[in-house]
Amino acid sequence: MTMTVADLFPLLPLLLVTGTAVLVMTFIGIQRHYTLTVSITVAGLLVAAVTAAWMLLMGSKQGGWQVTPLLIIDQYSLFFTIVTCASAIFIALLSYSYLRQLPDQREEYFLLLGVASIGAVVMVSSNHFVSMLLGLETLSMSLYGMIAYPVHVKDSAKFPLEASVKYLVLSAAASGFLLFGMALVYAQTGTLGFTSLVSLTAAESAGLGVGFSTLALLMIIAGIAFKLSLAPFHLWTPDVYEGAPIPAAAYLATVGKAAMFVVLLRFIGMSDALQFSGVLLVLSILAGASILVGNLLALLQQNIKRLLAYSSIAHMGYVLIAIIADYHVEGSISIEAVSFYLLAYIIMTLGAFGVASAVSDSSSEKDHINDYGGLFWRSPWLAAVFTAMLLSLAGIPLTVGFIGKFYLFLAGVEASMWLLLGALILGSGIGLYYYLRIVYRMVMPVDESGQAHDEPSLGGYGVLTVLTGLLLFLGVYPAPVMQLIELISVGL
């Protein structure tokens, strides 16, 4: 299949994000100007998001556009393109004040952010291993630079280069698993497109048996599990989050995870992976282990970024429950539950990292729980936003986190997955403790020592206000978004 001029229309959001990165690179080469670079990045991503929203509301043709064998542009991919671009805009605005005092060149950070967003948009539109791998590596390679960006900052307590190298080495190992699994799929099917491995005859699969299909699927899932930091593939996560600058850690925790989960959802659906009992068992173990390991290890953390890292491990385990439930009950709300929870997770996690970014900068990060002691008395608004985000992560009613967990729980009940539901309830109970521990520190008496930077920039105020509004609105009235997700999930 060759690309035609007509294929450029469905690719418009991706082309706009790519054009933004090229424009940023051009302006950096002509004249360095920090504010202009940020403005171009935000404006370009905003235009891409608005274009994707227009295409989504206008409605794509039935089944979406298949642009060459590599990309499927349907309503589902357009929805997550909007989420990706909006999240990147928020992170760019948070990064503006965070990097403002960086004693180094700052503009290339936003070029990396734009290129990472290109990779994420490609991933959410992938139904082929080649486009999946290209998007994944584009995203990952940009993140290596974003994580190591403040390498010249003289702060012996921070190790961004070490975090970047750890992520690089272990990410390469995960890509090796992915590639080996892809090779086994190709040996059986003769194609690198996502396709069913269930109905292959002996002739079609070159004489390879079910064992090869199971092995291929397990190797691919192992590589994806690393990117999602599912236990026991999670060991890199707390160290990388701790060493990375807060906005880069926020991007890795939100856009990186959501794009990978969309790929996993498409792959499992199109390959019929859950029809293999070994794959179903492994996914169940990954879900249960991630929930328990993430929550239990978060109890021991005093560093905010490490705590949020272990929290993200648990949340990825929660989402995996709904994916598994889709096997047990045909026509369940599993896909809708996964999609809504990913949106909720991005809102909550961006808000939590946003508050940490607002009180920090590249030379002095406030990443210890004690740094937030008395925050309520110094900046009640920031403390209220942080409290709302933490309570939502814990699943307290009237927040988007509660609605998200409710849908996950409902999907699990439909599938009678009582053990995993028990793990979800237990993990949520444990999580409530370590989230409230931060809230408790914020209402403690004021400690003025070393607490100088507590007010966000104007952009930071805007980001946190929007995220808090979404958190409360979707926690009280989620119906419009759920109806949209139900509509775009048809045929996925």
Side-chain angles (χ1 to χ4, degrees):
M1 185 184 294
T2 58
M3 180 176 287
T4 65
V5 175
D7 291 328
L8 296 180
F9 172 71
L11 290 178
L12 196 53
L14 176 59
L15 293 175
L16 287 169
V17 178
T18 305
T20 299
V22 173
L23 193 60
V24 168
M25 181 170 57
T26 303
F27 271 90
I28 291 174
I30 296 172
Q31 176 65 54
R32 288 185 177 274
H33 192 288
Y34 184 54
T35 302
L36 180 61
T37 301
V38 178
S39 300
I40 293 172
T41 303
V42 171
L45 290 169
L46 180 60
V47 172
V50 170
T51 303
W54 173 74
M55 293 172 64
L56 176 63
L57 293 175
M58 293 297 292
S60 64
K61 67 177 183 178
Q62 186 67 30
W65 291 274
Q66 183 68 52
V67 183
T68 73
L70 301 182
L71 298 173
I72 177 71
I73 310 298
D74 55 11
Q75 291 184 313
Y76 198 77
S77 68
L78 288 172
F79 176 78
F80 275 100
T81 297
I82 298 167
V83 172
T84 296
C85 292
S87 302
I89 290 170
F90 291 157
I91 293 170
L93 292 172
L94 293 171
S95 302
Y96 175 72
S97 58
Y98 179 91
L99 295 174
R100 191 161 42 195
Q101 305 302 323
L102 181 70
D104 204 344
Q105 304 289 3
R106 300 161 294 177
E107 290 80 8
E108 282 86 350
Y109 175 89
F110 297 93
L111 173 60
L112 290 170
L113 188 147
V115 175
S117 300
I118 295 171
V121 172
V122 170
M123 288 177 68
V124 301
S125 306
S126 296
N127 64 346
H128 195 281
F129 284 123
V130 171
S131 54
M132 167 193 167
L133 196 64
L134 286 173
L136 176 61
E137 293 306 315
T138 302
L139 172 64
S140 298
M141 289 182 183
S142 302
L143 281 170
Y144 304 151
M146 290 171 67
I147 291 169
Y149 206 82
V151 66
H152 296 133
V153 175
K154 304 302 181 184
D155 186 348
S156 60
K158 305 300 173 195
F159 304 97
L161 185 59
E162 178 186 332
S164 181
V165 171
K166 283 182 178 179
Y167 186 52
L168 167 64
V169 172
L170 293 175
S171 183
S175 296
F177 278 98
L178 278 171
L179 287 167
F180 204 104
M182 293 174 191
L184 289 175
V185 170
Y186 182 76
Q188 297 175 86
T189 64
T191 177
L192 287 172
F194 295 170
T195 185
S196 175
L197 297 175
V198 172
S199 57
L200 293 175
T201 65
E204 289 173 328
S205 61
L208 301 176
V210 174
F212 276 89
S213 295
T214 304
L215 179 60
L217 291 169
L218 290 179
M219 295 196 76
I220 291 170
I221 288 171
I224 293 175
F226 168 87
K227 299 295 183 179
L228 295 174
S229 60
L230 294 167
F233 304 96
H234 67 285
L235 298 178
W236 61 274
T237 312
D239 290 344
V240 172
Y241 280 39
E242 183 180 11
I246 291 175
Y251 197 99
L252 176 59
T254 54
V255 177
K257 298 286 183 68
M260 195 73 253
F261 235 112
V262 173
V263 170
L264 176 63
L265 193 60
R266 283 193 190 274
F267 172 68
I268 285 181
M270 299 181 72
S271 66
D272 294 320
L274 296 181
Q275 301 298 321
F276 296 88
S277 58
V279 173
L280 191 64
L281 176 62
V282 167
L283 286 176
S284 300
I285 292 172
L286 289 176
S290 299
I291 292 170
L292 296 178
V293 168
N295 282 302
L296 288 173
L297 292 181
L299 290 172
L300 307 175
Q301 305 308 313
Q302 298 297 320
N303 183 285
I304 289 288
K305 290 193 289 184
R306 291 183 72 89
L307 186 149
L308 291 174
Y310 283 114
S311 169
S312 74
I313 295 168
H315 284 279
M316 292 301 100
Y318 297 150
V319 184
L320 207 54
I321 291 177
I323 289 184
I324 300 167
D326 190 52
Y327 165 76
H328 295 283
V329 180
E330 186 176 352
S332 69
I333 65 163
S334 299
I335 294 176
E336 292 86 346
V338 169
S339 306
F340 187 88
Y341 199 83
L342 287 177
L343 177 62
Y345 170 77
I346 287 174
I347 293 171
M348 300 181 293
T349 306
L350 271 183
F353 276 107
V355 173
S357 178
V359 300
S360 306
D361 57 42
S362 57
S363 62
S364 176
E365 283 195 353
K366 304 295 190 297
D367 57 0
H368 195 280
I369 290 179
N370 289 335
D371 292 331
Y372 296 82
L375 181 64
F376 176 80
W377 308 105
R378 299 192 310 274
S379 180
W381 182 79
L382 272 182
V385 171
F386 205 9
T387 300
M389 298 301 165
L390 293 171
L391 293 180
S392 186
L393 285 166
I396 298 300
L398 300 182
T399 65
V400 69
F402 171 77
I403 301 297
K405 281 188 179 176
F406 173 78
Y407 283 122
L408 294 181
F409 191 84
L410 182 58
V413 168
E414 285 184 341
S416 301
M417 298 163 52
W418 308 118
L419 283 178
L420 286 178
L421 288 176
L424 188 153
I425 294 170
L426 178 61
S428 298
I430 296 171
L432 186 61
Y433 171 79
Y434 59 79
Y435 292 129
L436 290 180
R437 185 156 55 100
I438 303 174
V439 176
Y440 171 74
R441 290 297 303 163
M442 288 193 292
V443 298
M444 290 291 286
V446 178
D447 178 10
E448 297 294 343
S449 60
Q451 308 289 349
H453 181 196
D454 278 345
E455 292 303 323
S457 64
L458 182 61
Y461 266 116
V463 168
L464 293 175
T465 300
V466 171
L467 290 172
T468 305
L470 287 172
L471 180 140
L472 295 175
F473 175 76
L474 294 179
V476 175
Y477 187 50
V481 173
M482 275 304 296
Q483 290 171 0
L484 175 62
I485 291 174
E486 288 174 7
L487 179 65
I488 65 176
S489 300
V490 174
L492 189 65

